[in-house]
């Protein structure tokens, strides 16, 4: 191992340590005092409920762990968006579990809470996965009601999705384990089956105080909408549970009897570990986002037996296209090559940049994978498309459009891992969030933005200094440097993978060593949903 490898390893392991520290903090939800108060009511926390429900020792992945990080600080924050979402197994059946975290503002819905719930439902819909709701929420966070209530992708979309999933035959089970009020009361009742925990669970459109104010009736919450009321009088819920564990055991028994699904039929062989040590990734991935490295060395540490068959190996070298297996699943890999390469004309091409030939190759490969029903894996470390007169005259916009068209119209499931840079149109062509990857995750080394912090700061500095000069201000070298650093620091915060994860532009920031699990579980989930339409790229300028 050389000194550069060791320095890269130290840097990336520090990033990993930071990731683990952030996760520990996130998992505390509303904090230790809030957890104590919650447990004093005889209730399990959201994470305890999920861990009890999922099969022990089976793999699981958490979606949106960093949702809301750094947001809503004026209200005390909203760790994990006030809701925990996991993909895992219940009685061996793959499911999505959504649990309100009542330690965070009594489980109230912030705007990001709605977005995260919709993402969970989207994953269930795309993959035809059963979805379990563990409800414990005070409803919409009223100070921000205008950002969560009326729009298409707001709170009401949840119930619309309940109805759509029901019509699609996707199993939905809801357990009311705490408050379930106002519009939120529709979620469990629009599910296929609803459970309620005695004495701690309650469902009503309006609580006792509002009932008193609205119609003058005096009644307590338990009589108004507790377990006995809804299991014996209204018939709103289907099962009464004596406590949290009883409710979760009942869910396990219901899921255990769900019939098998129609499979999409993706190819799977026996899973084999990579021959090359996956931990080498920490030393291969450079400390600087500007440095070059060989993406093939990363791929070797992600795929079974460290083997892959490269498609058009000697053409369009700034994108690697290859067939491989990940935990036994056949995959088509589209990855940005991050080292300087030479094309057939003897011209040097920058790593991480998409050229005409590489866009053309990727388009053809994506079409081939669709033809053969092979899921696609995108490994992003891209600065964008090549610019300049030579590229423009060669039709880089047209070739880039072909690639975007192929990604957009792909009917096989797509999975995106952001290793490093994810800039501008490169993000789009390499299947960014806007292009419907089934799952999208970032490594701690990732950066997402229109351009790098350094480039953006230079552009913004020119605008800022021009504006100040117009006002008659004299810009000294020291003042210019101060402005540049201020702009760059602000921009660098926004390119952080945690900034993206907090807004659910990605499904999470993950340890590189968890990448195989994310892709494998993602393909297994996608295998629940047969492809319903043929691959068609529509009108295309060839």
């Amino acid at each position: 191992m050389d000194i550069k490898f060791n320095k890269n390893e130290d840097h990336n392991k520090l990033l990993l340590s930071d990731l683990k520290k952030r996760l520990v903090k996130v998992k505390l939800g509303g904090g230790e005092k809030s957890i104590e108060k919650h447990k004093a009511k005889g209730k399990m926390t959201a994470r305890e409920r999920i861990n009890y429900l999922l099969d022990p020792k089976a793999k699981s992945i958490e979606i949106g762990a960093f949702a809301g990080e750094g947001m809503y600080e004026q209200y005390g924050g909203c760790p994990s968006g006030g809701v925990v979402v996991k993909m895992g197994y219940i009685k061996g059946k793959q499911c999505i579990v959504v649990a309100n975290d009542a330690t965070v503002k009594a489980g109230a819905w912030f705007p990001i809470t709605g977005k995260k719930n919709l993402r969970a439902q989207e994953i269930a819909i795309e993959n035809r996965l059963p979805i379990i709701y563990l409800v414990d929420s005070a409803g919409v966070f009223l100070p921000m009601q205008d950002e969560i209530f009326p729009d298409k992708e707001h709170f009401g979309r949840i119930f619309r999705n309940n109805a759509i999933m029901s019509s699609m035959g996707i199993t939905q089970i809801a357990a009311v384990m705490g408050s379930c009020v106002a519009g939120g009361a529709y979620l469990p009742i629009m599910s296929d089956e609803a459970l309620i925990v005695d004495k701690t669970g309650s469902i009503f459109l309006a609580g006792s105080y509002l009932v008193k104010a609205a119609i003058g009736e005096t009644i307590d919450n338990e009589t108004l909408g507790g377990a006995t009321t809804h299991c014996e009088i209204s018939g709103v819920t289907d099962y009464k549970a004596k406590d949290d564990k009883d409710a979760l055991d009942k869910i396990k028994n219901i899921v255990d009897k769900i019939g098998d699904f129609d499979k999409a039929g993706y190819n799977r062989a026996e899973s084999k570990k990579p021959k090359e040590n996956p931990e080498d990734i920490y030393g291969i991935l450079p400390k600087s986002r500007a440095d070059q490295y060989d993406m093939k060395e990363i791929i070797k540490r992600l795929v079974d037996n460290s083997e892959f068959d490269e498609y058009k190996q000697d053409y369009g070298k700034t994108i690697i296209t290859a067939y491989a297996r990940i935990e036994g699943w056949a995959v088509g890999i589209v990855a940005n090559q991050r080292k300087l390469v030479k094309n057939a004309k003897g011209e040097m091409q920058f790593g991480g940049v998409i050229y005409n030939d590489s866009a053309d190759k990727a388009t053809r490969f994506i079409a081939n994978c669709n033809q053969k029903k092979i899921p696609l894996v995108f490994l992003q470390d891209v600065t964008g498309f090549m610019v300049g007169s030579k590229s423009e005259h060669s039709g880089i916009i047209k070739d880039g459009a072909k690639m975007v068209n192929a990604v957009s119209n792909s009917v096989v499931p797509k999975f995106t891992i952001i290793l490093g840079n994810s800039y501008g149109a490169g993000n789009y062509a390499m299947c960014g969030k806007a292009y419907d990857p089934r799952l999208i995750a970032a490594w701690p080394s990732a950066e997402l933005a229109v351009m790098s912090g350094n480039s953006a700061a230079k552009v913004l500095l020119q605008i800022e200094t021009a504006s100040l000069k117009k006002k008659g201000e004299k810009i000294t070298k020291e003042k210019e440097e101060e402005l540049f650093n201020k702009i760059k620091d602000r921009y660098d915060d926004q390119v952080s993978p945690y900034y993206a994860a907090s807004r659910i532009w990605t499904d999470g920031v993950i340890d590189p060593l968890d990448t195989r699990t994310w892709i494998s579980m993602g393909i297994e989930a996608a295998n629940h949903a047969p492809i319903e339409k043929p691959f068609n790229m529509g009108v295309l300028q060839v």
Side-chain angles (χ1 to χ4, degrees):
M1 300 296 175
D2 60 20
I3 190 70
K4 189 174 181 182
F5 183 98
N6 292 336
K7 284 183 177 180
N8 290 341
E9 186 177 44
D10 289 345
H11 173 74
N12 285 309
K13 286 193 171 178
L14 280 172
L15 292 180
L16 181 61
S17 175
D18 179 50
L19 167 63
K20 290 177 177 177
K21 285 176 186 173
R22 287 171 183 259
L23 283 170
V24 167
K25 187 178 178 183
V26 154
K27 287 175 181 178
L28 283 174
E32 290 176 356
K33 286 185 179 178
S34 292
I35 290 171
E36 284 174 22
K37 283 175 67 177
H38 182 83
K39 288 190 170 185
K41 298 172 186 173
K43 299 199 288 186
M44 300 164 75
T45 66
R47 291 180 183 278
E48 286 172 342
R49 287 166 175 167
I50 292 178
N51 289 341
Y52 184 84
L53 186 59
L54 295 179
D55 294 347
K57 297 181 181 177
K59 290 181 178 180
S60 66
I61 57 176
E62 183 170 351
I63 308 295
F66 293 108
E69 184 176 279
M71 301 167 71
Y72 318 120
E73 295 301 323
Q74 69 273 39
Y75 300 113
C78 186
S80 272
V83 63
V84 183
V85 176
K86 281 195 177 183
M87 179 192 289
Y89 302 87
I90 301 171
K91 296 288 186 179
K93 186 169 287 293
Q94 200 172 21
C95 299
I96 295 286
V97 185
V98 180
N100 298 114
D101 186 351
T103 71
V104 179
K105 293 286 188 293
W109 286 58
F110 285 72
I112 200 67
T113 317
K115 187 172 183 178
K116 186 169 174 178
N117 273 268
L118 288 170
R119 176 63 180 144
Q121 288 186 321
E122 180 182 40
I123 291 169
I125 290 169
E126 285 181 331
N127 300 294
R128 308 295 193 272
L129 289 180
I131 184 166
I132 318 298
Y133 307 101
L134 306 180
V135 184
D136 194 347
S137 171
V140 167
F141 185 63
L142 288 177
M144 302 192 76
Q145 65 84 27
D146 60 322
E147 295 182 46
I148 183 64
F149 168 63
D151 208 347
K152 182 177 177 180
E153 301 300 330
H154 283 178
F155 191 64
R157 189 77 171 180
I158 305 288
F159 317 126
R160 175 264 188 194
N161 285 352
N162 289 142
I164 295 297
M165 281 191 277
S166 185
S167 73
M168 294 172 70
I170 298 169
T171 299
Q172 299 175 84
I173 302 166
V176 179
M177 311 180 84
S179 296
C180 183
V181 301
Y186 288 106
L187 185 146
I189 313 313
M190 293 189 75
S191 298
D192 302 328
E193 296 183 82
L195 305 84
I196 185 167
V197 178
D198 197 20
K199 300 297 184 282
T200 55
S202 58
I203 309 172
F204 33 66
L205 293 181
S208 55
Y209 293 124
L210 189 52
V211 167
K212 177 71 174 176
I215 62 172
E217 181 184 1
T218 302
I219 189 169
D220 64 90
N221 282 340
E222 183 64 26
T223 307
L224 182 65
T228 299
T229 295
H230 287 311
C231 286
E232 299 179 23
I233 301 171
S234 71
V236 163
T237 51
D238 307 308
Y239 308 91
K240 184 197 286 190
K242 64 176 187 268
D243 56 26
D244 280 10
K245 285 189 177 179
D246 187 36
L248 298 169
D249 285 335
K250 289 181 189 297
I251 292 172
K252 291 180 187 182
N253 291 335
I254 294 168
V255 172
D256 191 37
K257 296 169 183 67
I258 297 173
D260 203 359
F261 51 87
D262 295 330
K263 295 179 176 65
Y266 301 120
N267 184 295
R268 192 176 199 183
E270 182 186 350
S271 176
K272 294 179 181 177
K273 292 181 179 179
K275 277 186 180 176
E276 302 288 347
N277 185 1
E279 293 203 7
D280 289 347
I281 288 171
Y282 302 126
I284 295 166
L285 201 65
K287 178 178 178 178
S288 168
R289 290 287 84 244
D291 284 356
Q292 305 274 300
Y293 65 96
D294 190 350
M295 180 65 82
K296 292 179 186 180
E297 294 303 317
I298 298 287
I299 295 172
K300 286 178 188 176
R301 287 153 179 85
L302 294 177
V303 301
D304 290 11
N305 224 25
S306 298
E307 294 175 346
F308 57 92
D309 300 310
E310 204 169 338
Y311 172 83
K312 290 185 182 289
Q313 180 177 351
D314 299 317
Y315 176 72
K317 293 180 183 178
T318 65
I319 285 183
I320 299 163
T321 48
Y323 298 107
R325 291 190 183 274
I326 293 178
E327 292 200 356
W329 294 104
V331 296
I333 294 172
V334 181
N336 302 112
Q337 176 55 289
R338 282 289 291 147
K339 71 174 186 177
L340 206 62
V341 296
K342 189 182 288 186
N343 67 14
K345 298 175 182 176
E347 300 165 330
M348 299 308 295
Q349 295 181 327
F350 297 105
V353 179
I354 302 175
Y355 288 77
N356 298 73
D357 52 359
S358 46
D360 177 63
K361 176 172 85 170
T363 302
R364 181 63 181 264
F365 181 73
I366 291 165
N368 279 346
C369 287
N370 275 270
Q371 183 87 341
K372 292 184 276 196
K373 208 158 73 169
I374 300 173
L376 286 158
V377 174
F378 292 84
L379 302 178
Q380 281 197 19
D381 194 346
V382 58
T383 52
F385 285 89
M386 190 58 191
V387 296
S389 61
K390 188 174 181 181
S391 290
E392 296 294 357
H393 295 171
S394 299
I396 188 66
I397 296 173
K398 183 176 55 155
D399 290 327
K402 286 194 294 185
M403 185 174 172
V404 170
N405 190 314
V407 172
S408 302
N409 285 300
S410 180
V411 295
V412 295
K414 299 167 290 194
F415 302 90
T416 302
I417 306 295
I418 304 170
L419 286 67
N421 304 324
S422 180
Y423 297 152
N427 169 282
Y428 300 159
M430 291 294 294
C431 197
K433 182 66 183 291
Y435 293 82
D436 299 321
R438 296 292 176 96
L439 291 172
I440 177 169
W443 290 359
S445 48
E447 293 187 357
L448 290 82
V450 171
M451 61 182 77
S452 72
N454 202 53
S455 299
K458 286 177 182 176
V459 173
L460 292 168
L461 177 65
Q462 290 176 32
I463 297 167
E464 183 78 9
T465 52
S467 174
L468 291 171
K469 283 175 182 175
K470 274 185 181 179
K471 294 175 184 175
E473 289 191 37
K474 187 180 179 183
I475 308 298
T476 62
K477 192 175 181 181
E478 291 76 17
K479 175 71 173 174
E480 191 173 278
E481 191 174 318
E482 182 190 330
L483 278 170
F484 176 82
N485 290 332
K486 187 178 176 182
I487 293 166
K488 189 175 183 300
D489 287 347
R490 185 176 70 242
Y491 197 89
D492 283 346
D493 284 342
Q494 293 179 4
V495 305
S496 157
Y498 298 101
Y499 190 92
S502 72
R503 287 149 181 83
I504 318 185
W505 300 343
T506 65
D507 292 316
V509 182
I510 66 170
D511 182 342
L513 301 189
D514 291 333
T515 303
R516 281 169 55 84
T517 297
W518 272 68
I519 293 169
S520 174
M521 285 188 68
I523 298 174
E524 184 183 347
N527 205 34
H528 287 74
I531 295 170
E532 295 175 347
K533 65 176 184 176
F535 177 64
N536 185 343
M537 288 178 64
V539 177
L540 183 65
Q541 292 184 1
V542 178

